[in-house]
Amino acid sequence: PSPGDRLAYQITVVNAGTAAASGVALDDLPGSNSSLVVGSVTTSQGAILSGNAGGDVRVQVALGGLAAGATATVGFHVDVA
């Protein structure tokens, strides 16, 4: 990537276990050579805690429960410095 590029990230969280998982969360801080595009965070379930408000620099999502074999997806964009 080059400075000025916008990159899209998609993170898939998988419960590969045989039992349900509760309290599942995702926390990601973009690297030092990139910055989060505020307002770009999406999730397939749960609540976005950080990433869509002015001044947010990290992605934090409370995904909640995931059944055995279930997945949840979080997406966001960063700008390369």
Side-chain angles (χ1 to χ4, degrees):
S2 300
D5 287 351
R6 180 163 287 180
L7 306 177
Y9 284 91
Q10 181 170 308
I11 300 171
T12 301
V13 179
V14 179
N15 179 357
T18 58
S22 62
V24 179
L26 178 123
D27 187 338
D28 188 80
L29 179 63
S32 60
N33 290 328
S34 63
S35 59
L36 177 65
V37 177
V38 172
S40 68
V41 181
T42 60
T43 184
S44 63
Q45 73 174 57
I48 298 167
L49 305 177
S50 179
N52 281 344
D56 287 351
V57 296
R58 69 185 317 122
V59 175
Q60 293 177 310
V61 180
L63 295 166
L66 276 181
T71 63
T73 304
V74 175
F76 59 94
H77 295 98
V78 299
D79 287 334
V80 177

